[in-house]
Amino acid sequence: MSDNLIQKKGESTWYVRLAVPADVQNAMGGAKVLIQSLKTGLRSEAMVRRLSVLAGWKSQIKAARDKRSNRGDGWKERIAEDAQDFSQIIRQLKIDTALGESKLMPLDIDPADLEQLRRFVFNDSQSGLRRQAAAEAAYAKQGLDRELALNDLAHNALIETLGDLIAYKNDFSAEEKEEMQAIFTDPTAYKVKSPITKQRIATFRQYRETRNVATKTIDQQQSKLEKLSAYLAKEGRQLDFDAVSAWLDSLKLASKTLAQYLLAGNVFWKWAMKHDARWRDDFKDKANPFENHELPQIRGKERADRQRKDFQPSEIAALHDAALNTGLTSLADLILLGAYTGARIEELCQLRTEHLINPDGIDCFDIVDSKTAAGIRVVPIHPALRAVVERLRTDSKDGFLIPSDSRNKYGIRSDALSKAFGRLKETQGYGPQHVFHSIRKTVITQLVRAGVQGTLIAELVGHETGTVTFDVYSQGASSAQKLEAISKLVL
């Protein structure tokens, strides 16, 4: 019967027949087998007619399975909550009974409905007959034992009855029904699982990669989401505002860092609400739990004390000499390049020999690798750097001006040199408020005090001015104007 065709005894008409898989029989009306007449006695014609019927049945089976597979775990959480509430009521009832304070509460139920429920609970099924026997045993007891036995009977009977109704209404599989009954029996055994699953994070990552988001950013946000997911699973909490707030408090981090955690969650939430159908269904009536958090504000002296500080030009010169004296030639060259350009450390480490250009007859650095659009710029080579730059060009073995053995997985060449600078400045007595970026602050301060216009300073260091006139329409200062300004830097 591989073609799904049969003929009933004594009939010439052909029927199409399909066995219904056990896991979807409830969804198919409880039928174990589907049979339909094809209204023809010709086998060749029946072979054709059966195809559309089979396709329809298989489509229903697939829809039933899809509904179940997309159900998620939300129902388990609701069952556990309801079971806990119900268990609390039963517990209190047992306590009141033991204390002799048991009172019958009036039930606002139609007697006919109550009788229908009684018949359902004590029906002729195997479970119904078992409940009948348990009821008779309970009534046979005396006094307090009888009351407690009846409470247990009511509890267990209601759980079984509710379980049957819920399983039928939701088309639960046998495994799901078994799990539901286990939750009813011991609601504390069910632990809330984080909706931020590994699969969701992986899908989110793929989406971000297709949008050309920096790998480092993706990795950092994934790490934050994994930490949140682990927290939810460990604490058995649902994803809501209170859980996120408690999680942030547990991290013991600065407000600026916590804001990055909230940003990661926010980006993930918006992606999931737009691209994840199950998530959208589970959280359709929920507010974004990553919004409207009030992070601790640092004010006054504490805020000032935490800000990065700039170096004095003489201090930069001393750091350069210290690097040379300890054999850190590449770091010494990097310090000089920073002091006479104001460029970011990674911008300098990404400079190649082909980035030495000569617009309008003026030697310049062509900075083409920056973290911002404004950072793509041309900066004249300071007269004090000419000999250093020429040496770096001549000695280059890989095309980069600054040698680096950094093995950073994101291709960041400044990683090792940045750490080397950190160790160097600590030996010179500087704390965490002084970093390589402090040199950039020194350059800007020098240019301001030398009377250089703010728009020209912004152009040299790669900042936007915040005005359409200069950021959009202006072609910027000439190479000569830039050289005049940069030449005002001294150590």
Side-chain angles (χ1 to χ4, degrees), residues 200-219:
R200 278 198 170 107
I201 292 177
T203 305
F204 173 63
R205 182 186 183 90
Q206 291 174 357
Y207 173 84
R208 299 276 280 165
E209 287 173 344
T210 62
R211 295 300 186 273
N212 296 320
V213 178
T215 302
K216 183 178 181 181
T217 299
I218 295 175
D219 284 351

Side-chain angles (χ1 to χ4, degrees), residues 35 39 44 65 165 186 202 214 216 314 332 357 419-420 425 458 463 468:
I35 299 177
K39 300 179 180 180
S44 59
R65 283 177 169 160
L165 291 173
D186 182 11
K216 183 178 181 181
S314 59
I357 59 177
K419 292 175 181 176
K425 56 99 175 182
H463 284 162
V468 174

Side-chain angles (χ1 to χ4, degrees), residues 199-270:
Q199 181 57 49
R200 278 198 170 107
I201 292 177
T203 305
F204 173 63
R205 182 186 183 90
Q206 291 174 357
Y207 173 84
R208 299 276 280 165
E209 287 173 344
T210 62
R211 295 300 186 273
N212 296 320
V213 178
T215 302
K216 183 178 181 181
T217 299
I218 295 175
D219 284 351
Q220 290 174 338
Q221 293 186 344
Q222 177 174 329
S223 174
K224 292 174 174 60
L225 292 170
E226 289 171 344
K227 290 177 182 178
L228 172 57
S229 182
Y231 174 84
L232 295 175
K234 179 182 178 182
E235 300 297 326
R237 302 190 63 158
Q238 297 181 4
L239 177 60
D240 56 23
F241 180 91
D242 291 337
V244 173
S245 180
W247 173 57
L248 293 176
D249 289 342
S250 72
L251 296 174
K252 308 296 183 186
L253 297 172
S255 295
K256 185 176 180 180
T257 305
L258 293 178
Q260 294 301 315
Y261 277 78
L262 287 174
L263 175 62
N266 234 317
V267 173
F268 177 83
W269 176 274
K270 292 177 180 178

Side-chain angles (χ1 to χ4, degrees), residues 16 108 115 121 132 236 285 297 313 399:
V16 60
D108 186 17
E115 176 61 20
V121 173
Q132 288 182 46
D285 298 323
Q297 298 297 313

Side-chain angles (χ1 to χ4, degrees), residues 413-466:
R413 300 188 73 252
S414 61
D415 189 51
L417 288 164
S418 177
K419 292 175 181 176
F421 181 83
R423 292 189 294 269
L424 176 72
K425 56 99 175 182
E426 286 178 1
T427 63
Q428 301 302 304
Y430 296 101
Q433 291 171 294
H434 286 90
V435 294
F436 191 92
H437 206 75
S438 298
I439 298 175
R440 184 171 166 85
K441 297 186 69 171
T442 303
V443 168
I444 294 174
T445 299
Q446 276 194 291
L447 293 175
V448 169
R449 293 178 179 178
V452 179
Q453 289 185 339
T455 53
L456 181 50
I457 295 174
E459 191 174 346
L460 286 169
V461 299
H463 284 162
E464 290 184 350
T465 66

